[in-house]
């Protein structure tokens, strides 16, 4: 029997009991949609909440204090290069702090003393740790950014007002390392966001170490770094990398280690969703099993006739398996389309509902339900697979139909 | 390829006709044993699992049917005529003895082997026609061709030709419930002939027909036999019907009482 004819045959059979087929397809479609929607919420929440959270500098950060040896050896350039060579390391930031003196151009006031952070600017930019409120990231070595409260440097008391600092944007100033005589001209191109902790003052000026290097200025032993941090490209690599660095002989600290169940939480969350989805699928499969059993019973005479004139048992089995797969397929198609619609609606409605409920706007471009292609493929495969599995027993029963009993012995 | 269907009258030359026959089965143009039963005994088990009882139905059956023969089988009700035919059809398995059909030993065939063999070599005509109620006359007749994997266009041609020949082409789109007994039987004959069987097994084929339809069926059987050498086994309780046969087998209490040996 040709495949084309088998399909035609099945389609004709399915139409014999439209109502029953419709109900079964409906049940299958509903459970398929249920599975997709439930998983899509899992994916959606993961995508917006978790991915954002896990990409955050805070959780991907590994703090490196010093080497573990007798004199707490400071981190050198060689160590930095070693960290950078590790897999999944996004950036290694390092900085030294020093006092700077800012020269007043027109000598109207006395020179101001400011707090300087000498850093590897490129790494700092890559780490994602440097977040600007105004301006742009430095591109040239003589471009610098300043803290939100930089203007407090010139006043008696601390106003902690970023608006005051804004007037310094795009200004060019002359600075020198306290105790050195080389004057360096730098341009303020960006202002760092205000610190989250209100009591913290942020008055520093962040300068690329290359600037000092090119001016021949050194800070004591310039090969050593104070404030070294390794940033991973995903939170999932933090633990193992932290361990590796620690075992290589450094004192390290990663915030994420404090949140022990972090990764298992999401596993449990998703497993729970999958469990609920699987229950839905099982219910649908019972429906398909029931429908197919009834179809076989109903068609015993047809099966008997077909066997009597010479249709192979495997053909009979295939016809019924195709029939249940067909129900699963149609159900999956409808279920997928419905879940796409529902997903769209949920994403539109959810922020509104959330706003009403907690009187707070959810984060921007917050996705509540997200349906990746892989989810559709998996759900459709599961649906059709389960449908076929549900059809196996009825199909086997069909192949075992006794010709003479089916023809009621009136041959 | 079927340009000169062996059932078509349109064949121009005798040579062409035989050529076509040879393609189907060279035996059709030859004499020889078509069916051979040796020492068949058969009994049914009845009762519950605890109280089983064997009911012997067939005893020491030895039977040879020649190629191109029409064999009528008669006998009282319950003497095992149908059981005999069921053994030859593969619907039940022989418990003892040997069955040869068309030079093939079928005694130990599996269900699948039987299915293929039936499709290719045997045609069936039933008392109650056994058409699938949800299929049209056309689809019912087409069924063996579909099972055999014949392409659609060719199927349509064959079925149409056959139905024309049986004078039922007007009813192709009718469902069995919309046909008279005689028409239904013609559809079932069309179905039986679709794959050019060498044997047609008929259990009371005229049992549900009026005398007019009975006569035309018998006429058609004769015609098929004479023109195409198809072997027939026909069970009947009607003397008139039995006369169509070259030989009549009389069964009594599960034994062959008369006509067991080929003429
Ligand atoms: N499946 C069966 N189980 C038990 N007994 C059966 C079965 N089929 C047939 N018989 C018995 O076998 C005998 C022969 O039946 P059958 O071949 O149908 O007779 P006939 O066709 O000559 O009227 C009957 O007595 C019938 O009761
Ligand atoms: Mg009988």
């Amino acid at each position: 029997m040709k495949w084309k004819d088998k399909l035609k045959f099945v389609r004709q059979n399915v139409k014999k009991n439209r109502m029953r087929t419709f109900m079964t397809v409906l049940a299958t479609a509903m459970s398929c949609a249920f599975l997709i929607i439930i998983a899509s919420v899992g994916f959606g929440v993961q995508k917006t909440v978790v991915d954002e959270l896990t990409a955050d500098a805070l959780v991907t950060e590994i703090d490196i204090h010093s080497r573990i040896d007798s004199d707490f050896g400071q981190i050198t350039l060689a160590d930095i290069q070693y960290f950078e060579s590790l897999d999944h390391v996004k950036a290694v930031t390092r900085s030294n702090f020093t006092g700077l003196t800012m020269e007043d151009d027109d000598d109207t006031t006395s020179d101001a003393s400011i707090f300087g952070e000498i850093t590897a600017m490129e790494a700092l930019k890559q780490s994602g740790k440097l977040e600007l409120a105004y301006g742009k990231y430095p591109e040239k070595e003589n471009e610098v950014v300043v803290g939100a409260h930089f203007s407090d440097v010139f006043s008696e008391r601390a106003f902690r007002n970023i608006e005051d600092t804004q007037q310094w944007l795009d200004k060019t100033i002359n600075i020198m390392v306290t105790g050195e005589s080389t004057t360096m001209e730098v341009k303020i191109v960006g202002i760092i966001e205000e610190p989250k902790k209100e009591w913290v003052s942020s008055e520093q000026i962040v300068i690329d170490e290359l600037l000092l290097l090119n001016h021949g200025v050194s800070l004591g032993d310039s090969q050593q770094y104070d404030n070294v941090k390794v940033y991973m490209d995903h939170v999932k690599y933090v633990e193992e990398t932290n361990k590796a660095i620690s075992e290589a002989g450094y004192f390290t600290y990663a915030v994420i280690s404090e949140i022990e169940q972090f990764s298992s939480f999401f596993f449990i969350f998703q497993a729970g969703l999958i469990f609920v989805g699987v229950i839905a699928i099982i219910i649908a499969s019972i429906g398909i099993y029931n429908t197919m059993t009834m179809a076989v019973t109903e068609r015993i005479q047809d099966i008997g006739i077909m066997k009597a004139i010479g249709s192979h048992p495997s053909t009979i089995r295939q016809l019924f398996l195709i029939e249940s797969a067909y129900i699963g397929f149609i159900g999956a198609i409808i279920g997928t389309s419905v879940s796409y619609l529902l997903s769209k609606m949920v994403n539109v409605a959810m922020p509104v509902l959330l706003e009403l409920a907690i009187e707070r706007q959810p984060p921007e471009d917050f996705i509540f339900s997200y349906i990746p292609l892989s989810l559709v493929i998996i759900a459709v495969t599961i649906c059709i697979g389960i449908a076929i599995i549900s059809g196996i027993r009825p199909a086997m029963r069909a192949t075992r139909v006794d010709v003479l009993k089916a023809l009621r012995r009136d041959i | 390829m079927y340009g000169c269907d062996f059932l078509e009258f349109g064949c121009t030359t005798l040579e062409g006709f035989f050529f076509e026959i040879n393609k189907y089965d060279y035996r059709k143009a030859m004499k020889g044993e078509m069916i051979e039963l040796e020492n068949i005994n058969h009994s049914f088990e009845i009762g519950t699992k605890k109280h089983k009882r064997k009911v012997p139905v067939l005893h020491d059956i030895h039977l040879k049917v020649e190629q191109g023969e029409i064999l009528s089988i008669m006998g009282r009700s319950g003497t095992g005529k149908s059981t005999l035919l069921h053994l030859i059809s593969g619907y039940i398995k022989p418990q003892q003895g040997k069955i040869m059909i068309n030079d093939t030993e079928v005694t130990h065939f599996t269900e699948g082997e039987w299915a293929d063999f039936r499709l290719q070599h045997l045609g069936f005509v039933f008392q109650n026609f056994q058409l699938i109620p949800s299929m049209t006359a056309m689809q019912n007749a087409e069924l063996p061709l579909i099972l055999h994997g014949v392409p659609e266009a060719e199927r349509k041609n064959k079925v149409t030709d056959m139905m024309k020949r049986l004078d039922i082409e007007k009813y192709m789109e009718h469902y069995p419930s919309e046909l008279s007994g005689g028409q239904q039987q013609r559809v079932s004959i069309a179905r039986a002939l679709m794959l050019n069987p060498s044997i047609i097994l008929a259990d009371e084929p005229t049992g549900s027909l009026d005398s007019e339809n009975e006569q035309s069926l018998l006429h058609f059987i004769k015609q098929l036999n004479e023109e195409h050498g198809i072997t027939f086994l026909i069970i009947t309780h009607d003397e008139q019907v039995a006369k169509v046969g070259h030989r009549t087998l009389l069964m009594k209490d599960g034994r062959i009482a008369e006509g067991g040996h080929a003429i």
Side-chain angles (χ1 to χ4, degrees):
Chain A
M1 202 166 170
K2 286 196 162 59
W3 264 97
K4 199 179 124 200
D5 292 319
K6 283 179 188 163
L7 287 175
K8 231 166 120 181
F9 206 88
V10 165
R11 236 175 297 148
Q12 205 179 351
N13 276 336
V14 159
K15 279 186 198 147
K16 274 183 198 165
N17 201 325
R18 279 168 197 274
M19 197 59 196
R20 192 181 61 208
T21 307
F22 172 75
M23 293 310 267
T24 317
V25 167
L26 188 70
T28 312
M30 275 168 68
S31 55
C32 185
F34 191 62
L35 182 76
I36 292 179
I37 284 293
I38 275 207
S40 81
V41 171
F43 276 110
V45 171
Q46 165 134 29
K47 198 174 156 71
T48 40
V49 181
V50 180
D51 288 359
E52 216 126 280
L53 196 68
T54 50
D56 193 279
L58 187 69
V59 292
T60 60
E61 182 181 281
I62 302 171
D63 211 333
I64 315 247
H65 178 258
S66 63
R67 276 210 304 275
I68 307 176
D69 43 31
S70 49
D71 55 347
F72 293 102
Q74 280 209 305
I75 306 299
T76 65
L77 196 61
D79 298 320
I80 302 278
Q81 280 161 353
Y82 158 67
F83 302 143
E84 281 172 341
S85 74
L86 295 170
D87 282 344
H88 302 293
V89 168
K90 187 163 67 179
V92 182
T93 65
R94 60 271 187 183
S95 42
N96 288 313
F97 301 100
T98 184
L100 295 173
T101 308
M102 183 175 143
E103 286 180 351
D104 199 359
D105 297 340
D106 34 19
D107 273 328
T108 48
T109 48
S110 58
D111 293 348
S113 184
I114 45 177
F115 186 54
E117 180 179 344
I118 315 300
T119 188
M121 190 62 82
E122 206 47 46
L124 185 63
K125 271 160 35 181
Q126 271 170 28
S127 71
K129 187 83 181 181
L130 183 65
E131 285 177 299
L132 298 184
Y134 301 101
K136 64 175 184 76
Y137 288 109
E139 268 148 27
K140 301 191 196 99
E141 60 183 45
N142 67 338
E143 291 179 337
V144 300
V145 292
V146 294
H149 311 138
F150 180 69
S151 61
D152 285 353
V153 170
F154 310 100
S155 63
E156 293 294 306
R157 52 180 286 236
F159 292 102
R160 306 241 170 98
N161 190 344
I162 194 165
E163 273 73 45
D164 290 345
T165 306
Q166 240 180 300
Q167 69 193 16
W168 286 96
L169 199 57
D170 294 328
K171 290 254 163 66
T172 303
I173 53 176
N174 288 319
I175 51 170
M176 57 177 141
V177 173
T178 310
E180 299 268 337
S181 54
T182 314
T183 306
M184 296 172 286
E185 193 184 75
V186 296
K187 188 182 174 196
I188 298 169
V189 296
I191 298 167
I192 302 172
E193 269 190 357
E194 286 188 274
K196 302 256 173 3
K197 297 170 187 163
E198 267 180 60
W199 64 90
V200 171
S201 169
S202 162
E203 298 172 12
Q204 82 276 32
I205 179 163
V206 183
I207 300 170
D208 197 340
E209 60 184 8
L210 290 175
L211 184 72
L212 270 70
L213 204 68
N214 290 347
H215 280 83
V217 181
S218 66
L219 304 170
D221 194 344
S222 64
Q223 282 297 300
Q224 295 191 347
Y225 298 94
D226 278 337
N227 187 15
V228 179
K229 285 181 172 126
V230 174
Y231 293 90
M232 307 306 294
D233 52 20
H234 194 279
V235 67
K236 63 188 168 200
Y237 304 118
V238 172
E239 291 236 37
E240 60 177 89
T241 310
N242 184 23
K243 208 168 145 219
I245 295 177
S246 170
E247 275 167 8
Y250 299 90
F251 284 117
T252 67
Y253 172 78
V255 174
I256 200 68
S257 311
E258 309 270 325
I259 317 166
E260 270 175 36
Q261 287 94 353
F262 192 81
S263 50
S264 58
F265 167 74
F266 257 88
F267 176 74
I268 291 165
F269 177 63
Q270 281 177 338
L273 291 181
I274 288 169
F275 179 73
V276 177
V278 165
I279 297 274
I281 290 282
I282 287 173
I283 291 170
S285 89
I286 293 172
I288 294 174
Y289 175 81
N290 192 36
T291 293
M292 292 312 295
T293 307
M294 276 164 77
V296 172
T297 310
E298 230 168 49
R299 272 179 245 149
I300 286 232
Q301 197 199 353
D302 299 9
I303 298 165
I305 294 170
M306 287 181 65
K307 287 182 87 172
I309 63 169
S311 76
H312 204 281
S314 65
T315 309
I316 307 265
R317 186 178 54 230
Q318 273 183 30
L319 287 174
F320 280 96
L321 286 179
I322 295 170
E323 187 168 330
S324 53
Y326 185 82
I327 291 174
F329 178 71
I330 303 286
I333 295 291
I334 296 174
T336 308
S337 327
V338 167
S339 53
Y340 259 111
L341 279 176
L342 280 178
S343 167
K344 282 258 151 53
M345 278 160 57
V346 161
N347 283 337
V348 172
M350 218 47 202
V352 181
L353 289 177
L354 270 180
E355 218 179 323
L356 285 176
I358 58 174
E359 287 171 9
R360 233 191 85 188
Q361 221 163 348
E364 229 175 289
D365 53 62
F366 176 79
I367 300 177
F368 193 74
S369 157
Y370 169 67
I371 305 181
L373 185 66
S374 60
L375 173 58
V376 171
I377 293 168
I378 289 170
V380 169
T381 312
I382 288 179
C383 244
I384 296 173
I386 292 284
I388 292 174
I389 290 169
S390 317
I392 287 178
R393 247 182 83 92
M396 292 310 285
R397 205 165 75 95
T399 63
R400 286 195 292 265
V401 163
D402 183 70
V403 175
L404 292 176
K405 275 186 194 144
L407 301 189
R408 276 187 235 98
R409 299 204 70 249
D410 53 12
I411 155 170
Chain B
M1 273 293 100
Y2 297 91
C4 183
D5 193 295
F6 82 104
L7 283 167
E8 276 286 350
F9 292 120
C11 276
T12 43
T13 63
L14 201 61
E15 219 178 79
F17 178 73
F18 275 106
F19 176 72
E20 283 298 321
I21 280 181
N22 288 349
K23 263 186 26 183
Y24 297 121
D25 184 355
Y26 69 97
R27 303 192 126 257
K28 284 190 180 131
M30 290 168 65
K31 284 273 171 181
E33 249 101 56
M34 192 48 122
I35 301 173
E36 199 176 340
L37 304 186
E38 246 176 58
N39 192 28
I40 294 290
N41 285 277
H42 197 85
S43 50
F44 287 108
E45 273 187 358
I46 59 163
T48 56
K49 265 184 187 169
K50 276 185 184 167
H51 308 281
K52 263 190 203 165
R53 199 158 60 86
K54 275 198 169 180
V55 183
V57 176
L58 294 176
H59 309 275
D60 308 323
I61 302 289
H62 290 266
L63 175 65
K64 285 181 185 174
V65 183
E66 297 220 346
Q67 144 72 41
E69 192 180 358
I70 301 178
L71 180 75
S72 299
I73 304 173
M74 292 194 73
R76 284 243 196 84
S77 180
T79 48
K81 306 183 295 293
S82 295
T83 306
L84 185 67
L85 218 63
H86 294 161
L87 279 165
I88 299 171
S89 316
Y91 299 158
I92 51 181
K93 289 208 158 193
Q95 293 155 345
Q96 205 187 69
K98 182 176 159 190
I99 304 176
M100 299 277 293
I101 303 174
N102 220 347
D103 272 352
T104 312
E105 160 130 35
V106 298
T107 324
H108 304 294
F109 263 13
T110 62
E111 239 204 289
E113 286 170 327
W114 259 118
D116 292 339
F117 190 81
R118 278 203 285 271
L119 188 63
Q120 289 185 21
H121 300 276
L122 308 178
F124 299 89
V125 180
F126 308 93
Q127 179 180 352
N128 291 339
F129 326 124
Q130 301 295 1
L131 300 175
I132 294 180
S134 59
M135 292 185 170
T136 62
M138 168 88 181
Q139 289 170 327
N140 266 290
E142 201 184 15
L143 201 52
L145 298 174
I146 293 178
L147 291 175
H148 202 240
V150 177
E152 190 164 353
E154 199 181 320
R155 273 184 343 230
K156 292 278 172 283
N157 285 336
K158 289 200 94 175
V159 175
T160 312
D161 287 352
M162 186 66 75
M163 290 201 147
K164 264 188 196 145
R165 169 116 206 248
L166 286 157
D167 207 19
I168 43 168
E169 80 266 30
K170 273 184 281 181
Y171 308 107
M172 292 221 280
E173 302 305 323
H174 286 233
Y175 287 91
S177 60
E178 301 159 356
L179 293 170
S180 74
Q183 289 160 345
Q184 287 187 59
Q185 194 59 300
R186 282 165 205 240
V187 175
S188 85
I189 289 168
R191 181 179 66 187
L193 291 170
M194 270 309 151
L195 287 168
N196 311 319
S198 31
I199 306 168
I200 289 184
L201 304 169
D203 195 343
E204 311 262 12
T206 60
S208 308
L209 299 182
D210 56 36
S211 60
E212 196 191 325
N213 276 309
E214 182 180 299
Q215 281 312 308
S216 73
L217 175 64
L218 295 178
H219 178 74
F220 193 62
I221 287 175
K222 249 186 218 153
Q223 202 179 24
L224 287 170
N225 173 259
E226 278 162 18
E227 286 167 18
H228 313 299
I230 299 179
T231 307
F232 281 87
L233 264 66
I234 303 168
I235 295 178
T236 181
H237 55 263
D238 187 327
E239 302 261 345
Q240 286 302 115
V241 175
K243 275 183 187 155
V244 77
H246 301 125
R247 167 164 68 121
T248 301
L249 194 79
L250 185 65
M251 291 196 63
K252 240 180 213 165
D253 301 329
R255 290 171 204 278
I256 296 173
E258 272 172 43
H261 298 284
I263 15 161

